[in-house]
Amino acid sequence: MPAVDKLLLEEALQDSPQTRSLLSVFEEDAGTLTEYTNQLLQAMQRVYGAQNEMCLATQQLSKQLLAYEKQHFALGKGDEEVISTLHYFSKVVDELNILHSELAKQLADTMVLPIIQFREKDLTEVSTLKDLFGLASNEHDVSMAKYSRLPKRKENEKLKAEVAKEVANARRKQHLSSLQYYCALNALQYRKRVAMMEPMLGYTRGQINFFKKGAEMFSKRMDRFLSSVSDMVQR
Amino acid sequence: MPAVDKLLLEEALQDSPQTRSLLSVFEEDAGTLTEYTNQLLQAMQRVYGAQNEMCLATQQLSKQLLAYEKQHFALGKGDEEVISTLHYFSKVVDELNILHSELAKQLADTMVLPIIQFREKDLTEVSTLKDLFGLASNEHDVSMAKYSRLPKRKENEKLKAEVAKEVANARRKQHLSSLQYYCALNALQYRKRVAMMEPMLGYTRGQINFFKKGAEMFSKRMDRFLSSVSDMVQR
């Protein structure tokens, strides 16, 4: 593991084998990070998906409890008690559904979104700049080869000067794209840590909020209701 | 809606049109109940499924957080902080996973199981006894028809006696199966109310337990950890 934490921009122009070797280390790191980020995103989207499904499931359950009343049972004697109890349970499920929906929204905004943005912005930027740097390097190599193949005769001075200008242009372009690429790779090292921790901060805060509100929701009032239903069931 | 709440067993032998008409009301009620129970079970299984998926999703997330350490990043400088933070988050997710698993088990045992048992035991019993009662009634009708088609001549006395015995047997069998069928239909009216309320009692108690334990889990200690991570992210 090299004892460096950034690519030096002043090395970009010289483009030495040492700098290229260090660059490849940063590129390998970015590759590993991209792969890991995709897996982490997948795991987080699964959690979000489960939370979302819980919202839909509690919605369906609440509706189904209310639907008891609309069944028009041929024998409805004594059903008033069942209907009012299921209505109450449906309200409980509705209140829970609000908490579940709030949690799902929080997970989307503070867990899934930051890591998607990290992938779409930071990782994609590195990958794009890598391609541009590759293209500029190729262009530079091509113009260098052209220059070295020029015949050494005097009458070619004008052509030589033209190709030399082309080489200089290509080098400038490569230099510029390497500066941008180095900057993005350095920034990635900096962003990486935050990008890994921020979504879990969102996840945990969402859970804390969810449990706090849930615990408040189930007050003593509900204890009385539940023991009266429990008595009914045991009768 | 008839002002009765049970089929009288003493009416079963006479099997009058009035009794048959009342029986059809009970049968209609049982049919509606079967349909509603199936829909309620489906909604409850969806909630259980979502809870189960949440267990699997949090398990995967916890593993993925631990996997950061094993990525062998080419540039690992300063990663110790990320690794230890993700370890801590992984423990939080593990603890949550325990609560999610406990809730999933409670939903399976106290919500889904009682309603499955109601369907498999009570509703299926009524449906089976209905079929048996139908068969016995047919048999009785067939032997009655056979008796009425007998020629009225004296020399048939022996045959007549035999068929009369057959009719008596068929009537006894039909009477017995109607008694069982009436009993099951009466019992269903009694069980119905409990069967509708019991699973929701299990659901609600499971949620209360879940929120109580969750709120306890996120103690002051975690507040400190989260604000230190939050500081790191903002730095």
Side-chain angles (χ1 to χ4, degrees):
Chain A
M1 202 184 289
V4 291
D5 53 5
K6 61 178 182 175
L7 291 161
L8 295 170
L9 301 185
E10 52 270 35
E11 305 285 338
L13 186 60
Q14 202 188 339
D15 197 19
S16 69
Q18 287 80 0
T19 306
R20 284 275 174 158
S21 157
L22 190 58
L23 176 63
S24 75
V25 174
F26 273 76
E27 285 179 332
E28 192 195 322
D29 193 84
T32 311
L33 186 60
T34 303
E35 211 171 294
Y36 179 76
T37 301
N38 284 333
Q39 287 164 0
L40 187 60
L41 174 58
Q42 206 201 338
M44 287 174 168
Q45 275 174 327
R46 187 176 182 183
V47 170
Y48 169 69
Q51 186 56 42
N52 221 20
E53 170 61 12
M54 185 53 95
C55 295
L56 298 173
T58 47
Q59 250 170 46
Q60 191 185 329
L61 179 59
S62 166
K63 264 189 204 159
Q64 194 55 44
L65 294 173
L66 291 182
Y68 185 88
E69 193 180 3
K70 294 164 203 137
Q71 297 302 303
H72 305 296
F73 281 106
L75 291 159
K77 197 162 169 274
D79 261 6
E80 302 75 24
E81 202 179 42
V82 182
I83 289 169
S84 71
T85 308
L86 294 187
H87 266 241
Y88 192 95
F89 275 127
S90 159
K91 267 188 215 157
V92 172
V93 177
D94 281 344
E95 281 184 60
L96 269 172
N97 180 256
I98 292 173
L99 298 189
H100 279 302
S101 305
E102 204 183 312
L103 178 56
K105 199 187 170 308
Q106 254 181 303
L107 294 182
D109 292 346
T110 66
M111 178 179 76
V112 178
L113 189 67
I115 196 155
I116 284 185
Q117 282 176 334
F118 174 64
R119 190 176 72 164
E120 299 307 319
K121 207 185 144 283
D122 301 67
L123 293 173
T124 306
E125 189 184 23
V126 163
S127 153
T128 309
L129 291 174
K130 182 182 182 172
D131 293 345
L132 292 176
F133 175 65
L135 287 171
S137 296
N138 272 347
E139 235 171 84
H140 179 247
D141 290 350
V142 167
S143 61
M144 283 286 278
K146 199 168 161 189
Y147 185 84
S148 65
R149 276 198 309 274
L150 282 177
K152 299 281 180 251
R153 279 174 299 169
K154 272 230 165 168
E155 56 268 37
N156 284 321
E157 283 306 319
K158 204 187 154 200
L159 180 63
K160 247 173 137 172
E162 253 173 47
V163 178
K165 206 175 155 192
E166 205 183 301
V167 169
N169 275 337
R171 179 160 298 169
R172 207 171 303 124
K173 206 169 155 191
Q174 189 206 17
H175 183 214
L176 193 68
S177 68
S178 69
L179 286 177
Q180 291 177 316
Y181 186 33
Y182 286 16
C183 277
L185 281 169
N186 286 338
L188 191 66
Q189 285 302 314
Y190 175 78
R191 280 280 301 143
K192 175 181 170 178
R193 280 148 217 166
V194 170
M196 295 297 108
M197 296 192 285
E198 198 183 3
M200 285 312 296
L201 204 58
Y203 171 84
T204 312
R205 281 181 173 156
Q207 304 293 336
I208 290 175
N209 181 53
F210 177 68
F211 281 117
K212 193 170 160 271
K213 292 197 175 164
E216 278 165 16
M217 193 191 118
F218 289 105
S219 60
K220 290 282 163 200
R221 171 180 59 92
M222 191 150 331
D223 279 358
R224 272 219 300 283
F225 166 71
L226 290 177
S227 38
S228 88
V229 176
S230 178
D231 287 350
M232 272 194 264
V233 167
Q234 268 148 30
R235 251 183 359 233
Chain B
M1 202 184 291
V4 290
D5 53 5
K6 59 178 184 175
L7 290 161
L8 295 172
L9 301 185
E10 51 270 36
E11 306 286 337
L13 186 59
Q14 201 187 339
D15 197 18
S16 68
Q18 286 81 359
T19 306
R20 284 276 173 157
S21 157
L22 189 58
L23 176 63
S24 75
V25 174
F26 273 76
E27 285 179 333
E28 192 196 322
D29 193 83
T32 311
L33 185 61
T34 302
E35 212 171 292
Y36 179 75
T37 302
N38 283 334
Q39 288 165 357
L40 186 62
L41 174 59
Q42 206 202 338
M44 287 175 169
Q45 275 175 327
R46 188 175 182 184
V47 169
Y48 170 70
Q51 187 55 42
N52 220 20
E53 171 60 13
M54 185 53 96
C55 294
L56 298 172
T58 48
Q59 249 170 46
Q60 191 186 328
L61 179 60
S62 166
K63 264 190 203 159
Q64 195 55 42
L65 294 173
L66 291 181
Y68 185 88
E69 193 180 6
K70 295 164 203 136
Q71 297 302 303
H72 304 298
F73 282 105
L75 291 159
K77 199 163 167 271
D79 262 5
E80 302 76 23
E81 203 179 39
V82 182
I83 289 169
S84 71
T85 307
L86 294 187
H87 266 242
Y88 192 96
F89 276 126
S90 157
K91 266 188 217 157
V92 172
V93 178
D94 281 344
E95 281 183 61
L96 269 172
N97 180 255
I98 291 172
L99 298 189
H100 279 303
S101 306
E102 204 182 312
L103 178 55
K105 201 188 168 307
Q106 254 180 302
L107 293 182
D109 292 346
T110 66
M111 179 179 75
V112 178
L113 189 67
I115 195 156
I116 284 185
Q117 283 176 334
F118 174 64
R119 190 175 72 164
E120 298 309 318
K121 206 184 145 284
D122 301 67
L123 292 173
T124 306
E125 190 185 20
V126 163
S127 152
T128 309
L129 291 175
K130 181 182 182 173
D131 292 346
L132 292 176
F133 174 64
L135 287 171
S137 296
N138 272 347
E139 237 171 83
H140 178 247
D141 291 350
V142 167
S143 60
M144 282 288 277
K146 198 168 158 191
Y147 185 83
S148 65
R149 277 198 309 275
L150 280 177
K152 302 276 180 254
R153 280 173 301 168
K154 273 230 163 169
E155 55 269 37
N156 284 322
E157 285 306 319
K158 204 184 155 201
L159 180 62
K160 247 173 141 174
E162 254 171 48
V163 178
K165 205 175 156 193
E166 206 181 300
V167 169
N169 274 337
R171 179 161 296 172
R172 206 172 303 123
K173 206 169 155 191
Q174 189 207 17
H175 184 215
L176 194 65
S177 68
S178 69
L179 286 178
Q180 290 176 316
Y181 186 33
Y182 286 16
C183 276
L185 282 170
N186 286 338
L188 191 65
Q189 285 302 315
Y190 175 78
R191 279 281 298 144
K192 174 181 172 179
R193 280 147 216 170
V194 170
M196 295 298 108
M197 296 192 283
E198 198 184 3
M200 285 312 296
L201 202 60
Y203 171 84
T204 311
R205 281 179 173 157
Q207 303 293 337
I208 290 175
N209 181 53
F210 178 68
F211 281 117
K212 192 169 162 272
K213 291 198 174 165
E216 277 165 15
M217 194 190 118
F218 289 106
S219 59
K220 289 281 163 202
R221 172 180 58 92
M222 191 152 328
D223 278 358
R224 273 219 300 283
F225 166 72
L226 290 178
S227 38
S228 89
V229 176
S230 178
D231 287 348
M232 273 193 263
V233 168
Q234 268 147 28
R235 251 185 355 236

